[in-house]
Amino acid sequence: MTDPLVTVDGLEKYYYENDTLLDRLTGAEPEAVRAVDGVSFDVREGETLGVVGESGCGKSTLAETLMRLREPTGGSVTFDGDPVFELSGGDMDAFRRRAQVMFQDPFSSLDPRMTAGEIITEPLAIHDVGTAAERRERAETLLEEVGLSADQIDRYPHEFSGGQRQRIGFARALAIDPEFVVLDEPVSALDVSVQAQVLNLLADMQAERDLTYLFIAHDLSVVRHISDRVAVMYLGEIVEIGPTEEIFEDPQHPYTKALLESVPRADTDERDRVVETIRGDVPSPRDPPSGCSFRTRCPELIQPPWLDAPQAAFREISEFRTRIENGDIDVDTRWERVGDPDREDRAAFVDALREEAFDEDLPDNDEETVREAIRALADGDREAAAATLRERYRSPCEAIDPALPAGNHPDACLRNEQPADVEAAREEWEADHDAPEVGASSR
Amino acid sequence: MTDLLRVRDLSTRFFTEEGQINAVENVSFTVEAGSVLGVVGESGSGKSVTGLSLIDLVESPGKITSGEVWYNNADLAERVEGDRPEAVDGDFVDLRRLSEAERRSLRGSAFSMIFQDPMSSFNPSITVGEQIAEAAEVQRRASANPRSTRSRTQGYGLGRMLLDGALPDRSYTSEESWDRAVELLERVGIPDPAERAEEYPHQFSGGMLQRAMIAQALAGDPDLLVADEPTTALDVTIQAQILDLLADLQETMEMSVVLITHNLGVIARVADRVSVMYAGEVVERGTLTDVFDRPVHPYTKGLLGSVPDIDRPGERLEPIAGNVPDLVDANMPDRCYFADRCPKAMTDCLTRLPEYEVSDSHRARCVLAEREYSEADAVPAERLARPTDGGATGDDGSTASDESAAPDAEVSDD
């Protein structure tokens, strides 16, 4: 674990929608899907860096952009001192020889019309290594090394099982003798018993050939098993990165904690383990939340300095506010349920919605503010309702975008240590927002 | 605890061009009322087909060839007894001996199923609420006339069909069933159910859609819910939510659940009893503690040893060598199906073995339940490394990491 072999700095990959010629002529604003949104990290020589995250968090796009299989929209990647995005010609070929990829799906990542031997020797042929006979010999050795037999060289992919196909994909990645291999979900399509075989193979080959791995997976147990360091991604950003032991034993970011909690253990004590599930779904990368991207699901959302409500109550109020702001609460059906066609019985409406939206008891002040917002809602004034709640319950998490500080085990959460500029922004924010008076705007 | 379902020697076969495939072979298990049975196995082990067989959803070329499925329902037993006394035993009714129509009338009200991929299980062109309301409507019409097995097709005659074609409307739902749909959506934890019911499947996230599918399955208030890999397509944080929901529903609605999954962690989280399947057979079954803490069958041990432990990392994994065999009848060896991959194969294993009783609640299809492993009886490696009859080639995919003696099992077609 010494020098960084790969340095990724502020890597961005946006996909644009509404960006066709027609859209441009009609003047439609292109809409960015922020698949990878400013990611920085190092991969050190000889280590395995695991990248985990839920589907849609951008981990595969990260791998593909990093290997320059997709053109980045921002940032840079340095491989052993060379800027990958600026290489061309012979230098690019050299980079391609030193860095290889193995893909997730054993069924679609191998050409069905090529034999195992052709698949494995293709990178050698492209880079013009050896004669045909030498390449074939190399393929035979590789097949043996990855746990298949040399006589299977003339078989086609459909004659192999999923685990065997992943071995072929791995042999192909190793054919050119790379130093760095990106493994994109290499075992997630496999059954557990076969998955274990492939994981052991990956570990053996790394030890034998001093490989550096970037290991992408959604299965946390697998990542813990194979990685030296782990990066946790959420919505296109790294929220925490550090040595595997520390990430798993002492997670700092609320998302990492929630993710670790959620994994069911194959153990008879599992039933009694209390799991605090996080609510809701991952937001769309088309329209990520302002500030901290995890704040819409975060169980540890920071309260504004003037507030001291129970955390659970604060969360429910925040969720209720989001629903009002998004227009998810249909006032008409609520009135129907109250059964007052003239819409005069505001108290009944307020009681009903208060009951529906909250499980928690609220402190008196907060109860009053919430009811005030619901009264505005009853009058059909969604804006006023949202404003009432926004005034009192705005969290620093929605205003300030946390960043990943330097260090061995940093995390992007405002609760923890943050870079100086983020800290400064937060102080400024707190100075700008004073405690609102309770009930000041009530009618 | 009373039993809800007793399955005896159930076999399901598929008659394909490549030959007869024994997807489920002589499977027996019991589902207790109000409990969760976990069925675990790798792909191709027959666990999904077992689930489908329970509620008679196996389609051609598949066929349930033998077996009994005893369902505990006093009302049904009383009703059936007159016509078919042989199908009734006390309060139990053998579903395999009922008519097709009678079995169909139990779907939804007695048994219900949820599937793995919520995205492809819904019709994309009909609102979610309507699809759930339709299920509720079917049950409503059926309960209006419980004795008629035809009741669920009532009102859907040819005339109605033509009329609907000409004048499409919401005739498959009614106001009551729509209200019921909203109520069900609320029950499974969908916020703003009345509004969400009006939306189409693509407007739901995967987790939400899985909840909606559970709501649909609950429309008939079933006794038994068969959940086939309900969380496999979901992220872990969403998986945790869905497992919580299932446990909660199971408790409050006093339903039994058959949970089919390949994930041992999911089993450990929710199951009371476990059946481990391999190559179409249940190789071991018992309570969760029996199977997880005192496994007898080497396959069960291997499965448990293959899972990286998130709390105890660093240990080298001990995978099972080789691959899952294919299930083509002609290629199935006439001995323990696991013997070829088994680290403890003995000469006894060269015959087909019965299920042995380990304890009252615990059974295993392995001689190790009866006797200790002894080196002297070990099967010589060459007898096992030999390919199964049927002309498969003799290559073997063995390596240092694979251990030797792994037959390169026939390649499965996917």
Side-chain angles (χ1 to χ4, degrees), chain A residues 189-228:
Chain A
L190 306 175
D191 278 317
V192 279
S193 68
V194 181
Q195 168 181 310
Q197 296 169 7
V198 175
L199 285 177
N200 283 347
L201 171 70
L202 294 176
D204 292 343
M205 287 311 232
Q206 181 172 35
E208 220 169 275
R209 296 166 168 244
D210 285 334
L211 296 168
T212 304
Y213 286 156
L214 182 72
F215 188 95
I216 292 171
H218 67 277
D219 186 329
L220 289 147
S221 345
V222 168
V223 167
R224 176 164 207 187
H225 180 76
I226 199 157
S227 311
D228 300 309

Short mmCIF file of all heavy atoms in Angstrom, two decimals, chain A residues 189-228:
data_model
loop_
_atom_site.label_atom_id
_atom_site.label_comp_id
_atom_site.label_asym_id
_atom_site.label_seq_id
_atom_site.Cartn_x
_atom_site.Cartn_y
_atom_site.Cartn_z
N ALA A 189 -23.94 -12.01 -10.41
CA ALA A 189 -24.88 -12.83 -11.16
C ALA A 189 -24.72 -14.32 -10.80
O ALA A 189 -25.37 -15.16 -11.39
CB ALA A 189 -24.67 -12.63 -12.65
N LEU A 190 -23.87 -14.63 -9.85
CA LEU A 190 -23.56 -16.04 -9.58
C LEU A 190 -24.22 -16.53 -8.30
O LEU A 190 -24.48 -15.78 -7.38
CB LEU A 190 -22.04 -16.21 -9.45
CG LEU A 190 -21.20 -15.68 -10.63
CD1 LEU A 190 -19.73 -15.82 -10.30
CD2 LEU A 190 -21.55 -16.42 -11.90
N ASP A 191 -24.44 -17.84 -8.25
CA ASP A 191 -24.94 -18.46 -7.03
C ASP A 191 -23.86 -18.42 -5.95
O ASP A 191 -22.68 -18.40 -6.26
CB ASP A 191 -25.30 -19.92 -7.31
CG ASP A 191 -26.66 -20.03 -7.93
OD1 ASP A 191 -27.56 -19.33 -7.46
OD2 ASP A 191 -26.81 -20.82 -8.88
N VAL A 192 -24.29 -18.48 -4.69
CA VAL A 192 -23.32 -18.31 -3.62
C VAL A 192 -22.15 -19.28 -3.66
O VAL A 192 -21.02 -18.88 -3.43
CB VAL A 192 -23.93 -18.34 -2.20
CG1 VAL A 192 -24.54 -17.01 -1.86
CG2 VAL A 192 -24.90 -19.46 -2.04
N SER A 193 -22.43 -20.55 -3.95
CA SER A 193 -21.31 -21.49 -3.89
C SER A 193 -20.30 -21.20 -5.00
O SER A 193 -19.09 -21.31 -4.81
CB SER A 193 -21.80 -22.94 -3.96
OG SER A 193 -22.33 -23.22 -5.23
N VAL A 194 -20.80 -20.79 -6.17
CA VAL A 194 -19.92 -20.47 -7.28
C VAL A 194 -19.26 -19.11 -7.04
O VAL A 194 -18.08 -18.90 -7.35
CB VAL A 194 -20.73 -20.46 -8.59
CG1 VAL A 194 -19.82 -20.16 -9.76
CG2 VAL A 194 -21.42 -21.79 -8.79
N GLN A 195 -20.00 -18.20 -6.45
CA GLN A 195 -19.48 -16.88 -6.11
C GLN A 195 -18.24 -17.00 -5.23
O GLN A 195 -17.23 -16.32 -5.44
CB GLN A 195 -20.58 -16.10 -5.39
CG GLN A 195 -20.13 -14.84 -4.72
CD GLN A 195 -21.30 -14.15 -4.02
OE1 GLN A 195 -22.35 -13.94 -4.60
NE2 GLN A 195 -21.13 -13.80 -2.76
N ALA A 196 -18.32 -17.91 -4.27
CA ALA A 196 -17.18 -18.11 -3.37
C ALA A 196 -15.95 -18.60 -4.14
O ALA A 196 -14.83 -18.16 -3.89
CB ALA A 196 -17.55 -19.09 -2.26
N GLN A 197 -16.18 -19.50 -5.11
CA GLN A 197 -15.05 -19.98 -5.93
C GLN A 197 -14.39 -18.82 -6.66
O GLN A 197 -13.17 -18.70 -6.69
CB GLN A 197 -15.53 -21.00 -6.98
CG GLN A 197 -16.10 -22.28 -6.42
CD GLN A 197 -16.79 -23.12 -7.51
OE1 GLN A 197 -16.71 -22.79 -8.69
NE2 GLN A 197 -17.46 -24.18 -7.10
N VAL A 198 -15.21 -17.97 -7.29
CA VAL A 198 -14.65 -16.87 -8.07
C VAL A 198 -13.94 -15.85 -7.17
O VAL A 198 -12.88 -15.34 -7.50
CB VAL A 198 -15.75 -16.20 -8.93
CG1 VAL A 198 -15.21 -14.98 -9.66
CG2 VAL A 198 -16.30 -17.20 -9.94
N LEU A 199 -14.52 -15.60 -5.99
CA LEU A 199 -13.86 -14.66 -5.06
C LEU A 199 -12.49 -15.18 -4.65
O LEU A 199 -11.51 -14.43 -4.59
CB LEU A 199 -14.73 -14.45 -3.81
CG LEU A 199 -15.95 -13.56 -4.00
CD1 LEU A 199 -16.75 -13.51 -2.72
CD2 LEU A 199 -15.56 -12.16 -4.43
N ASN A 200 -12.42 -16.48 -4.37
CA ASN A 200 -11.12 -17.06 -4.01
C ASN A 200 -10.13 -16.93 -5.16
O ASN A 200 -8.96 -16.61 -4.95
CB ASN A 200 -11.28 -18.53 -3.63
CG ASN A 200 -11.84 -18.70 -2.23
OD1 ASN A 200 -11.89 -17.74 -1.46
ND2 ASN A 200 -12.29 -19.90 -1.90
N LEU A 201 -10.63 -17.16 -6.38
CA LEU A 201 -9.77 -17.04 -7.56
C LEU A 201 -9.23 -15.61 -7.68
O LEU A 201 -8.03 -15.40 -7.93
CB LEU A 201 -10.56 -17.42 -8.81
CG LEU A 201 -9.86 -17.14 -10.14
CD1 LEU A 201 -8.69 -18.09 -10.33
CD2 LEU A 201 -10.83 -17.28 -11.31
N LEU A 202 -10.11 -14.62 -7.51
CA LEU A 202 -9.67 -13.22 -7.62
C LEU A 202 -8.58 -12.93 -6.59
O LEU A 202 -7.57 -12.28 -6.90
CB LEU A 202 -10.86 -12.27 -7.41
CG LEU A 202 -11.96 -12.30 -8.47
CD1 LEU A 202 -13.10 -11.37 -8.08
CD2 LEU A 202 -11.42 -11.91 -9.83
N ALA A 203 -8.79 -13.42 -5.37
CA ALA A 203 -7.80 -13.17 -4.33
C ALA A 203 -6.47 -13.85 -4.65
O ALA A 203 -5.39 -13.25 -4.50
CB ALA A 203 -8.34 -13.65 -2.98
N ASP A 204 -6.53 -15.09 -5.13
CA ASP A 204 -5.30 -15.82 -5.46
C ASP A 204 -4.52 -15.11 -6.56
O ASP A 204 -3.30 -14.96 -6.49
CB ASP A 204 -5.62 -17.25 -5.93
CG ASP A 204 -6.18 -18.09 -4.80
OD1 ASP A 204 -6.01 -17.67 -3.64
OD2 ASP A 204 -6.79 -19.14 -5.08
N MET A 205 -5.23 -14.68 -7.60
CA MET A 205 -4.55 -14.05 -8.72
C MET A 205 -3.93 -12.73 -8.32
O MET A 205 -2.86 -12.35 -8.79
CB MET A 205 -5.55 -13.81 -9.87
CG MET A 205 -5.94 -15.08 -10.56
SD MET A 205 -4.50 -16.05 -10.99
CE MET A 205 -4.78 -16.33 -12.67
N GLN A 206 -4.61 -12.02 -7.42
CA GLN A 206 -4.05 -10.75 -6.98
C GLN A 206 -2.73 -10.97 -6.25
O GLN A 206 -1.74 -10.27 -6.49
CB GLN A 206 -5.03 -10.03 -6.06
CG GLN A 206 -4.50 -8.68 -5.60
CD GLN A 206 -5.53 -7.90 -4.84
OE1 GLN A 206 -6.34 -8.47 -4.11
NE2 GLN A 206 -5.53 -6.59 -5.02
N ALA A 207 -2.73 -11.99 -5.39
CA ALA A 207 -1.51 -12.28 -4.63
C ALA A 207 -0.39 -12.70 -5.57
O ALA A 207 0.76 -12.29 -5.43
CB ALA A 207 -1.80 -13.37 -3.61
N GLU A 208 -0.74 -13.50 -6.58
CA GLU A 208 0.26 -14.04 -7.47
C GLU A 208 0.87 -12.99 -8.39
O GLU A 208 2.04 -13.00 -8.69
CB GLU A 208 -0.44 -15.09 -8.34
CG GLU A 208 0.37 -16.32 -8.59
CD GLU A 208 -0.54 -17.36 -9.22
OE1 GLU A 208 -1.24 -18.10 -8.48
OE2 GLU A 208 -0.57 -17.41 -10.46
N ARG A 209 0.03 -12.06 -8.86
CA ARG A 209 0.49 -11.14 -9.89
C ARG A 209 0.56 -9.69 -9.46
O ARG A 209 0.67 -8.80 -10.31
CB ARG A 209 -0.49 -11.20 -11.07
CG ARG A 209 -0.51 -12.53 -11.74
CD ARG A 209 -1.72 -12.61 -12.65
NE ARG A 209 -1.60 -13.77 -13.50
CZ ARG A 209 -1.49 -13.70 -14.82
NH1 ARG A 209 -1.51 -12.54 -15.42
NH2 ARG A 209 -1.37 -14.79 -15.53
N ASP A 210 0.43 -9.42 -8.17
CA ASP A 210 0.49 -8.04 -7.68
C ASP A 210 -0.50 -7.13 -8.38
O ASP A 210 -0.15 -6.03 -8.80
CB ASP A 210 1.90 -7.46 -7.88
CG ASP A 210 2.86 -8.03 -6.88
OD1 ASP A 210 2.38 -8.42 -5.80
OD2 ASP A 210 4.06 -8.10 -7.17
N LEU A 211 -1.71 -7.57 -8.53
CA LEU A 211 -2.69 -6.75 -9.23
C LEU A 211 -3.28 -5.70 -8.30
O LEU A 211 -3.32 -5.88 -7.08
CB LEU A 211 -3.82 -7.63 -9.77
CG LEU A 211 -3.43 -8.65 -10.82
CD1 LEU A 211 -4.56 -9.64 -11.04
CD2 LEU A 211 -3.09 -7.93 -12.12
N THR A 212 -3.73 -4.62 -8.89
CA THR A 212 -4.49 -3.61 -8.16
C THR A 212 -5.93 -3.71 -8.66
O THR A 212 -6.17 -3.73 -9.86
CB THR A 212 -3.93 -2.22 -8.46
OG1 THR A 212 -2.55 -2.21 -8.14
CG2 THR A 212 -4.66 -1.16 -7.66
N TYR A 213 -6.88 -3.80 -7.73
CA TYR A 213 -8.27 -3.96 -8.14
C TYR A 213 -9.10 -2.75 -7.75
O TYR A 213 -8.95 -2.21 -6.66
CB TYR A 213 -8.91 -5.16 -7.42
CG TYR A 213 -8.50 -6.55 -7.87
CD1 TYR A 213 -8.63 -7.62 -6.99
CD2 TYR A 213 -8.05 -6.80 -9.15
CE1 TYR A 213 -8.30 -8.91 -7.36
CE2 TYR A 213 -7.71 -8.09 -9.54
CZ TYR A 213 -7.82 -9.14 -8.64
OH TYR A 213 -7.50 -10.41 -9.02
N LEU A 214 -10.00 -2.39 -8.64
CA LEU A 214 -11.12 -1.54 -8.24
C LEU A 214 -12.34 -2.45 -8.30
O LEU A 214 -12.74 -2.89 -9.38
CB LEU A 214 -11.27 -0.36 -9.20
CG LEU A 214 -12.40 0.62 -8.83
CD1 LEU A 214 -12.02 1.42 -7.60
CD2 LEU A 214 -12.71 1.56 -9.98
N PHE A 215 -12.90 -2.76 -7.16
CA PHE A 215 -13.93 -3.79 -7.07
C PHE A 215 -15.28 -3.15 -6.80
O PHE A 215 -15.50 -2.57 -5.75
CB PHE A 215 -13.57 -4.76 -5.94
CG PHE A 215 -14.43 -5.98 -5.85
CD1 PHE A 215 -14.04 -7.16 -6.45
CD2 PHE A 215 -15.64 -5.95 -5.17
CE1 PHE A 215 -14.84 -8.29 -6.38
CE2 PHE A 215 -16.44 -7.08 -5.09
CZ PHE A 215 -16.02 -8.25 -5.70
N ILE A 216 -16.17 -3.26 -7.79
CA ILE A 216 -17.46 -2.61 -7.66
C ILE A 216 -18.52 -3.65 -7.34
O ILE A 216 -18.61 -4.68 -7.99
CB ILE A 216 -17.80 -1.88 -8.96
CG1 ILE A 216 -16.83 -0.73 -9.10
CG2 ILE A 216 -19.24 -1.40 -8.98
CD1 ILE A 216 -16.88 -0.06 -10.39
N ALA A 217 -19.32 -3.40 -6.30
CA ALA A 217 -20.33 -4.38 -5.94
C ALA A 217 -21.41 -3.71 -5.12
O ALA A 217 -21.21 -2.63 -4.57
CB ALA A 217 -19.72 -5.52 -5.14
N HIS A 218 -22.58 -4.34 -5.06
CA HIS A 218 -23.61 -3.81 -4.17
C HIS A 218 -23.71 -4.69 -2.92
O HIS A 218 -24.37 -4.32 -1.97
CB HIS A 218 -24.95 -3.74 -4.90
CG HIS A 218 -25.49 -5.09 -5.24
ND1 HIS A 218 -25.10 -5.79 -6.36
CD2 HIS A 218 -26.35 -5.88 -4.59
CE1 HIS A 218 -25.71 -6.95 -6.38
NE2 HIS A 218 -26.47 -7.04 -5.32
N ASP A 219 -23.04 -5.85 -2.95
CA ASP A 219 -23.14 -6.77 -1.83
C ASP A 219 -22.05 -6.44 -0.80
O ASP A 219 -20.87 -6.65 -1.03
CB ASP A 219 -22.96 -8.20 -2.34
CG ASP A 219 -23.18 -9.22 -1.25
OD1 ASP A 219 -22.90 -8.91 -0.08
OD2 ASP A 219 -23.63 -10.34 -1.56
N LEU A 220 -22.49 -5.94 0.34
CA LEU A 220 -21.53 -5.45 1.32
C LEU A 220 -20.66 -6.55 1.91
O LEU A 220 -19.49 -6.33 2.22
CB LEU A 220 -22.26 -4.72 2.44
CG LEU A 220 -22.83 -3.39 1.99
CD1 LEU A 220 -24.12 -3.08 2.69
CD2 LEU A 220 -21.82 -2.29 2.23
N SER A 221 -21.23 -7.74 2.07
CA SER A 221 -20.42 -8.82 2.65
C SER A 221 -19.27 -9.18 1.72
O SER A 221 -18.16 -9.44 2.16
CB SER A 221 -21.24 -10.07 2.94
OG SER A 221 -22.59 -9.83 2.90
N VAL A 222 -19.56 -9.18 0.42
CA VAL A 222 -18.53 -9.50 -0.55
C VAL A 222 -17.45 -8.42 -0.54
O VAL A 222 -16.25 -8.71 -0.54
CB VAL A 222 -19.14 -9.64 -1.97
CG1 VAL A 222 -18.07 -9.67 -3.03
CG2 VAL A 222 -20.01 -10.88 -2.04
N VAL A 223 -17.87 -7.17 -0.49
CA VAL A 223 -16.91 -6.07 -0.49
C VAL A 223 -16.03 -6.14 0.75
O VAL A 223 -14.82 -5.96 0.69
CB VAL A 223 -17.66 -4.73 -0.56
CG1 VAL A 223 -16.73 -3.59 -0.22
CG2 VAL A 223 -18.22 -4.54 -1.94
N ARG A 224 -16.65 -6.43 1.89
CA ARG A 224 -15.85 -6.51 3.09
C ARG A 224 -14.83 -7.64 2.98
O ARG A 224 -13.70 -7.52 3.41
CB ARG A 224 -16.73 -6.76 4.30
CG ARG A 224 -15.89 -6.94 5.53
CD ARG A 224 -16.63 -6.82 6.82
NE ARG A 224 -15.68 -6.37 7.84
CZ ARG A 224 -15.95 -6.27 9.11
NH1 ARG A 224 -17.15 -6.54 9.54
NH2 ARG A 224 -15.05 -5.86 9.97
N HIS A 225 -15.27 -8.71 2.37
CA HIS A 225 -14.40 -9.87 2.27
C HIS A 225 -13.16 -9.58 1.44
O HIS A 225 -12.07 -10.01 1.79
CB HIS A 225 -15.18 -11.04 1.66
CG HIS A 225 -14.38 -12.28 1.51
ND1 HIS A 225 -14.10 -13.09 2.57
CD2 HIS A 225 -13.78 -12.83 0.44
CE1 HIS A 225 -13.36 -14.09 2.17
NE2 HIS A 225 -13.14 -13.96 0.87
N ILE A 226 -13.31 -8.84 0.36
CA ILE A 226 -12.22 -8.75 -0.60
C ILE A 226 -11.43 -7.44 -0.55
O ILE A 226 -10.28 -7.39 -1.01
CB ILE A 226 -12.74 -9.01 -2.04
CG1 ILE A 226 -11.59 -9.38 -2.97
CG2 ILE A 226 -13.52 -7.82 -2.56
CD1 ILE A 226 -12.03 -10.15 -4.18
N SER A 227 -12.00 -6.38 0.04
CA SER A 227 -11.37 -5.06 -0.10
C SER A 227 -10.40 -4.71 1.02
O SER A 227 -10.55 -5.15 2.14
CB SER A 227 -12.44 -3.97 -0.15
OG SER A 227 -13.43 -4.30 -1.06
N ASP A 228 -9.41 -3.86 0.65
CA ASP A 228 -8.55 -3.26 1.66
C ASP A 228 -9.13 -1.94 2.13
O ASP A 228 -9.06 -1.58 3.28
CB ASP A 228 -7.15 -3.01 1.08
CG ASP A 228 -6.51 -4.29 0.61
OD1 ASP A 228 -6.49 -5.24 1.41
OD2 ASP A 228 -6.07 -4.37 -0.55
#
